[in-house]
Amino acid sequence: MGRARLKQITSTGVPLALLVIVAAGSDAVLRGRGQGWSLSDWLSNVVLGALATVIVGILLARRQTRVQEALADLELTEKIAALRVADARLRDQCTSEAAHRAVLDCRAGLALVPLARVPMQEEYLRAAVRMVRVLGDALGSSLEPRATWSDADWEYLRENMEELLKSAEHNLKGASAMRPIWIDDINSCKGRILELAQGEVLFTVFRRHFTQSQNRIRTLLDWNALARLAPPNGNAVWVEHLTRQVTDPAALASYFTVWYTRSDGTETEYDHPEARPISLASLAEGTSCYLGRERRDRIKDLHRHYAAKVEGKDIRVLIATYPVRVEPSAPDAREAVVILDGNHRLAALVQLAREGCPFTIAEFRLHAPADPAFLPDLSHHVPDTFDGTP
């Protein structure tokens, strides 16, 4: 017998017990006047009446419970459908709106779990746990949320995850078989999501984004060596998130592509003896004759693509960089920023900025030792070999 049904039957029995007490008191008063009830009166008016009321109460309670379970099952079915839609949205693009809506749908369904049938309870909890895991995977594999969410979005997510756990603890008190599983799962997912929602960008997220997403770093970056120096193994490698609006290409004067030219002006590989890195500033000036035809065509296509957006929303690009301090002990110390991912997009956008169209950069800087062992391209920027660029 379910908790809700037992409560209904118990509530029906309380007034019946009071009725028997009142009847006995009334009978005692009548007996004092010589008008007490007979055995047949007791059987017909009290016992049979009370028994009939109990039976009717039990039947009504059962019927009400079935109706209540059916309504709860219907509501949870709708919530499961909403959570599956949320799964698809989060896998496609983890926007703040989709993430907040998914967590709120989880919270709303928990209040119905104690009222539903056990199979529906288990189906809903599985769907809710799956959704929270999908949210954690989305936040742990992409830098898009870090680049596009506001501080208020992250704070709201933290609050919602805390409230989700509290709601689970409150509404699953009577579900002894499912409570430990749900609480453990949601608590584990909550801890991971709250870690990802902190201010710093985790190296693990940076690595997954630029190795498994559409934006991949294709340079010879030694990921395994960097991971050994990143938390929790060490503190020599960390990621910084910067957001800036570029109105003048001169603001990116220290940025260098991972493309190279030699003395005859043709494009070459990074390991050619005459290879010199091509600066973003030179591309902003339209000096791209030394780029290969295929690369020039791609930049032109991107330039047309971004130019078509000028009248719409703000143009935003997500990139990865590796900053290197050049001549760190010299009075005129400067910094070279190697573009790990986003070379073609930035080459197109700096030309657009020179034409008077600003754009916004969401830059994720990989701070690591300036050692070519981690990235061979650094050999062109470390103090011993840096000699300028075209």
Side-chain angles (χ1 to χ4, degrees):
M1 185 177 294
R3 182 179 62 179
R5 185 180 303 171
L6 180 61
K7 182 177 180 180
Q8 290 173 337
I9 295 175
T10 303
S11 63
T12 303
V14 172
L16 290 177
L18 294 175
L19 177 62
V20 173
I21 294 173
V22 172
S26 300
D27 181 53
V29 173
L30 292 174
R31 284 184 183 281
R33 297 181 179 182
Q35 299 176 351
W37 289 351
S38 64
L39 180 60
S40 61
D41 292 334
W42 272 97
L43 290 174
S44 62
N45 296 330
V46 179
V47 177
L48 293 179
L51 181 60
T53 303
V54 169
I55 293 175
V56 171
I58 292 175
L59 294 176
L60 289 176
R62 287 180 176 177
R63 182 176 179 82
Q64 184 178 355
T65 300
R66 291 193 186 99
V67 172
Q68 182 177 267
E69 288 179 343
L71 292 174
D73 285 0
L74 176 62
E75 291 287 339
L76 285 183
T77 301
E78 294 178 352
K79 294 299 181 186
I80 291 173
L83 289 178
R84 288 180 177 173
V85 172
D87 283 1
R89 289 177 178 173
L90 290 173
R91 293 178 192 274
D92 180 55
Q93 187 176 14
C94 188
T95 64
S96 59
E97 293 80 5
H100 297 153
R101 178 61 184 270
V103 177
L104 288 174
D105 280 339
C106 274
R107 288 176 56 188
L110 282 173
L112 298 169
V113 169
L115 307 178
R117 295 178 302 111
V118 172
M120 182 54 68
Q121 293 178 357
E122 294 175 348
E123 184 179 356
Y124 173 76
L125 292 177
R126 285 196 299 270
V129 169
R130 182 171 57 249
M131 191 288 302
V132 177
R133 287 175 178 168
V134 168
L135 175 58
D137 289 341
L139 294 176
S141 61
S142 175
L143 292 172
E144 287 290 345
R146 182 65 63 182
T148 57
W149 290 24
S150 66
D151 291 341
D153 290 331
W154 289 105
E155 181 60 29
Y156 189 42
L157 178 65
R158 286 190 285 267
E159 293 175 358
N160 268 328
M161 291 305 302
E162 294 287 358
E163 291 300 323
L164 177 62
L165 183 59
K166 291 178 182 178
S167 182
E169 293 173 341
H170 174 73
N171 289 291
L172 298 182
K173 289 181 179 178
S176 57
M178 294 171 290
R179 174 184 165 87
I181 299 174
W182 166 259
I183 296 300
D184 288 347
D185 282 341
I186 191 60
N187 199 33
S188 175
C189 293
K190 185 205 77 170
R192 183 188 179 198
I193 290 173
L194 292 185
E195 180 185 17
L196 294 169
Q198 299 302 317
E200 62 184 35
V201 180
L202 301 181
F203 174 78
T204 53
V205 181
F206 179 90
R207 180 176 184 175
R208 287 188 65 183
H209 180 94
F210 288 109
T211 58
Q212 300 178 18
S213 72
Q214 181 179 355
N215 299 328
R216 297 190 179 185
I217 293 176
R218 292 175 173 81
T219 60
L220 299 178
L221 196 64
D222 192 337
W223 290 105
N224 293 331
L226 291 169
R228 288 191 289 270
L229 299 179
N233 303 317
N235 297 311
V237 172
W238 55 283
V239 180
E240 178 186 15
H241 175 211
L242 300 171
T243 299
R244 66 173 69 182
Q245 186 179 56
V246 179
T247 57
D248 183 355
L252 303 178
S254 61
Y255 285 64
F256 293 86
T257 68
V258 287
W259 306 328
Y260 301 88
T261 185
R262 53 189 177 185
S263 57
D264 61 1
T266 59
E267 186 177 359
T268 188
E269 298 296 327
Y270 78 94
D271 55 354
H272 190 278
E274 297 181 5
R276 293 182 297 167
I278 300 173
S279 69
L280 200 59
S282 65
L283 296 179
E285 296 171 359
T287 311
S288 58
C289 58
Y290 36 70
L291 293 179
R293 182 179 182 82
E294 183 178 351
R295 201 181 303 283
R296 292 201 310 270
D297 289 343
R298 186 177 178 188
I299 293 173
K300 289 178 182 178
D301 289 340
L302 286 170
H303 183 275
R304 286 192 292 266
H305 169 74
Y306 288 123
K309 291 186 174 183
V310 170
E311 300 300 328
K313 296 182 179 179
D314 176 42
I315 300 175
R316 178 182 294 265
V317 60
L318 189 155
I319 66 170
T321 61
Y322 197 131
V324 181
R325 292 293 293 174
V326 179
E327 301 174 359
S329 60
D332 59 343
R334 49 199 168 128
E335 183 179 59
V337 181
V338 180
I339 306 167
L340 300 176
D341 177 73
N343 288 271
H344 289 87
R345 284 167 285 157
L346 282 178
L349 286 171
V350 291
Q351 294 179 20
L352 199 64
R354 194 180 183 194
E355 298 167 7
C357 302
F359 63 95
T360 300
I361 291 178
E363 179 181 351
F364 291 88
R365 288 192 169 190
L366 178 63
H367 290 270
D371 188 344
F374 296 113
L375 178 65
D377 299 80
L378 298 183
S379 62
H380 297 280
H381 301 283
V382 293
D384 291 340
T385 58
F386 185 87
D387 59 357
T389 63

